[in-house]
Amino acid sequence: MATFKPTARLASLDILRGFDLFLLVFFQPVLLQFGHQLDNPTLNTVLCQFDHEIWEGFRFWDLVMPLFMFMAGASMPFSFSKYKNQPNKKNAYRKIFRRVALLFLLGMIVQGNLLDFSPETIHFYNNTLQAIATGYFISAVILLNCSVRKQVMWTVFLLIIYGVPMAFWGDFTQEGNFANWVEQIVVGHFRDDPTYTWIWSSLTFGATVMLGVFAGHIMKNGADCRGKVVQRLLIIGFALIAAALLWSLQMPIIKRIWTSSMTLLSGGYCFLLMALFYYWIDYKGNVKGFNWLKIYGMNSIAAYMLGETVNFRSVAESLLHGTQQFAGAYYPAILASANYLIVFLILRFMYKYKIFLKV
C-alpha cells in the first residue's frame, strides 16, 4: 500500500462509491441494531431489504457488492487511458498483478483466517475483495487488448460460457448447481459459506466489472455532451434489467452463485444509479450535501478493511458505559453507532490530510 494524491476525476464516481461504502460500514449495521430493538412489523419489512436474499430473488442489499465491483470497472477507462495505446504494456501488467495480489491478500485477512497460520482454516477465495480482484484482472486484460466492440463481445461471451453448463448440468438448487460442483472440486473443505460460489462465478465477476467499464467509457467519451451521457446510461440500465428478467425465465436470479441473469439485473440497477448520480452531481453540479461521501469513496479499501476487521466497540464502551442505565436494550445499538462513527472519523482524518490507500 502507498500514499498517493488522486488525479482529477468525475465527482459522481467517488460519491457513488462512497454511498456504497457508507451503506456497508455505517448505515446498514446501525440500522439493523436499532431496528431489531424496535421490532415493528412495517420496519421489519424494510429491514428485510438490508439482508441478502436466502437463494433465488434479489433484495436491495444484494446490490452492494455488485455496485462495489461496477464502480471499480467504471474508473478503469480513466486510469488505463495512459496505457491503452502503448506498444509495451509491461507497466500496466505490473500494476494489474500488484493490485490483484494485494486485493487477494486483504481478502484473506478479512475472511480467510490468514493469521491463523493453519492450512485447515485458511480460505483462499471467499471474499468481496477477491471477487473484485478477479473481475478487475479479467476486465483489465480485455480493456488493454480489445476495442470497445470486442470488449462487448467478450462480456457477452463470459455470460454465455458461465450459463451453458449451468443450464445443462445439474439444476439451480443450492446443492445441485454446476457452480457448486466446481467449487467442491477445486476448493473443497477450504470453502467458507457453502451457499456461495467463487471459482465458476469468476466469469460473471468479470462481466460485472466490464459493465462498469462500459459506463466509464460512456462518461469519459461524453464529457462534452453530458445530457446524452445520462440518456445512454438510463437506456442501457433499463435494457439490462429487461434482458435480466427475460433470461431469468431460464436461469434464476441468484446472487450467491452470481448467475448471468443476476449479473445483468444488478448491472442494470448500477447503470441507473450511475445515471442518477452523474446527472445530479456532474451534469447539474449539485455537490452540496454529497461531498462528505468522498470520505468513504476516495478511501474505499480503507473503509472496507476498517469496517470489516477492526472493532472499536471497546473504545466506545470505555467512553459510554455510564449511559447503559439510561439506554437499556438500546445500549448495543449505541455502541454499534459509536463503533462506525469512529471508523468515519478515522477516514475523515485521512481525507483531510490527503492520505489515500491505493492497491
Side-chain angles (χ1 to χ4, degrees):
M1 288 186 172
T3 302
F4 78 110
K5 185 175 181 179
T7 56
R9 49 194 179 188
L10 293 173
S12 59
L13 291 176
D14 291 320
I15 291 174
L16 180 53
R17 186 186 298 108
F19 172 71
D20 194 39
L21 268 296
F22 168 70
L23 289 174
L24 184 64
V25 297
F26 195 109
F27 186 81
Q28 185 254 16
V30 172
L31 175 68
L32 292 182
Q33 283 282 350
F34 279 101
H36 291 155
Q37 290 301 323
L38 290 170
D39 195 24
N40 177 277
T42 303
L43 179 59
N44 288 340
T45 302
V46 176
L47 293 179
C48 180
Q49 290 297 317
F50 285 87
D51 198 1
H52 292 299
E53 183 60 69
I54 296 173
W55 189 245
E56 186 177 339
F58 197 84
R59 302 183 191 179
F60 173 77
W61 198 242
D62 292 322
L63 184 60
V64 171
M65 181 177 169
L67 182 58
F68 201 172
M69 299 172 70
F70 180 91
M71 295 308 298
S75 301
M76 290 174 67
F78 298 91
S79 60
F80 276 73
S81 59
K82 59 183 177 181
Y83 302 117
K84 181 66 176 174
N85 297 319
Q86 291 181 359
N88 187 347
K89 297 182 174 60
K90 183 178 179 180
N91 290 334
Y93 283 111
R94 185 182 295 115
K95 173 185 176 181
I96 292 166
F97 286 121
R98 174 183 176 274
R99 189 177 195 198
V100 169
L102 284 173
L103 286 172
F104 256 87
L105 178 63
L106 293 176
M108 292 172 73
I109 292 173
V110 170
Q111 195 170 340
N113 301 324
L114 178 65
L115 300 184
D116 283 352
F117 300 106
S118 170
E120 296 301 317
T121 59
I122 197 167
H123 299 145
F124 293 102
Y125 190 7
N126 289 276
N127 183 263
T128 297
L129 294 181
Q130 296 166 332
I132 293 173
T134 305
Y136 171 82
F137 175 77
I138 293 170
S139 300
V141 173
I142 294 173
L143 177 61
L144 281 175
N145 295 284
C146 299
S147 65
V148 174
R149 180 174 174 272
K150 288 185 177 180
Q151 290 170 31
V152 174
M153 293 173 62
W154 270 108
T155 303
V156 173
F157 184 68
L158 290 171
L159 294 169
I160 293 174
I161 289 298
Y162 171 93
V164 169
M166 292 291 289
F168 292 100
W169 284 274
D171 51 35
F172 290 102
T173 62
Q174 290 186 11
E175 297 81 15
N177 67 84
F178 177 79
N180 180 62
W181 179 78
V182 172
E183 204 78 10
Q184 290 177 333
I185 296 297
V186 177
V187 181
H189 73 278
F190 293 109
R191 298 177 72 177
D192 185 7
D193 186 339
T195 65
Y196 284 86
T197 61
W198 304 87
I199 302 300
W200 193 248
S201 300
S202 295
L203 295 168
T204 40
F205 293 159
T208 294
V209 178
M210 282 305 303
L211 292 177
V213 169
F214 298 136
H217 281 315
I218 292 170
M219 292 183 289
K220 183 174 182 293
N221 297 329
D224 296 331
C225 191
R226 293 188 169 182
K228 288 187 176 180
V229 169
V230 175
Q231 293 176 7
R232 290 168 182 166
L233 292 173
L234 288 173
I235 291 171
I236 294 174
F238 285 118
L240 288 174
I241 292 171
L245 295 177
L246 182 62
W247 203 338
S248 70
L249 299 175
Q250 179 269 323
M251 179 184 294
I253 294 169
I254 305 172
K255 186 257 183 184
R256 291 175 184 263
I257 57 175
W258 218 273
T259 57
S260 297
S261 56
M262 195 289 300
T263 302
L264 295 181
L265 182 69
S266 60
Y269 289 142
C270 289
F271 263 92
L272 297 183
L273 278 173
M274 190 74 258
L276 175 63
F277 276 70
Y278 182 90
Y279 169 79
W280 190 250
I281 293 166
D282 290 313
Y283 184 40
K284 291 297 184 180
N286 297 311
V287 295
K288 187 176 181 180
F290 293 93
N291 271 327
W292 66 274
L293 287 170
K294 291 182 179 180
I295 293 171
Y296 291 98
M298 295 180 70
N299 247 331
S300 57
I301 300 299
Y304 183 83
M305 292 297 296
L306 284 171
E308 293 291 319
T309 63
V310 184
N311 190 338
F312 294 103
R313 282 176 175 81
S314 59
V315 177
E317 192 163 14
S318 297
L319 297 172
L320 301 172
H321 68 277
T323 65
Q324 185 173 5
Q325 58 182 320
F326 307 108
Y330 289 94
Y331 184 61
I334 292 173
L335 291 183
S337 302
N339 175 71
Y340 291 104
L341 178 60
I342 293 171
V343 172
F344 172 78
L345 293 175
I346 293 172
L347 294 170
R348 184 178 182 276
F349 173 86
M350 296 173 70
Y351 179 81
K352 180 178 179 181
Y353 290 97
K354 296 180 170 57
I355 303 171
F356 301 97
L357 297 182
K358 179 183 179 182
V359 296

